[in-house]
Each structure stands twice: as structure tokens, then as C-alpha cells.
Amino acid sequence: MNTIKSVSILIPAAFVLMACSKADPVPVSECKKVVNHVKKVLGEQAPSSRKMLKQCKAASDEARGCVLAADKPMKILKCDF
């Protein structure tokens, strides 16, 4: 009986965490904003603006949203950018 209670609590909690971790999609028209954000987060380690702009335009709205929501370099690496 305790196992059923545990599972019934964990499953909804997992859905809430997954929903909260998903970033809002960002349109291609916001690529300059995304590139500036990456430069701010990565600092001197950031690729050239030209290269990042090209990547941004080729990425999906979800990937751009992921990058814009990232506040640390390792989080940016987890995005499909």
C-alpha cells in the first residue's frame, strides 16, 4: 500500500518537473537576442557572432528557447543548438 502511495506522488511530481524545465520556443527573428545571451554566458569562450547567428537560424524554435533559458555554459551544451 505504501508503494502505491509513493508512486502516485512521484509520477505527478515528475510531470511537473518536466513541464517546468521546458523553455518557451523562440522564433528565428530573435536570433540576435539569443547570440547576445550566449556571449554573455560564455564570455571569451563564445564562438564568433557570425557562426552563432548561422547556428541560431538553423536551429529549431525549441533549441533557441533552450539556449535563451540557459544561465550556465553546461546548460547551453545540453541544448540542440
Side-chain angles (χ1 to χ4, degrees), residues 63-76:
R64 285 187 288 274
C66 177
V67 170
L68 202 54
D71 59 351
K72 296 180 181 175
M74 289 304 288
K75 288 183 181 178
I76 291 175

Side-chain angles (χ1 to χ4, degrees), residues 14-68:
F15 283 116
V16 169
L17 288 175
M18 287 190 308
C20 292
S21 65
K22 189 142 177 126
D24 292 333
V26 174
V28 72
S29 61
E30 296 289 320
C31 275
K32 271 193 161 184
K33 183 177 179 181
V34 174
V35 169
N36 288 334
H37 177 71
V38 173
K39 286 172 134 183
K40 181 180 167 187
V41 174
L42 296 182
E44 292 182 10
Q45 306 303 318
S48 70
S49 294
R50 183 178 171 177
K51 182 177 179 178
M52 286 191 289
L53 196 58
K54 185 177 178 180
Q55 284 180 298
C56 183
K57 289 179 179 179
S60 67
D61 290 355
E62 290 76 18
R64 285 187 288 274
C66 177
V67 170
L68 202 54

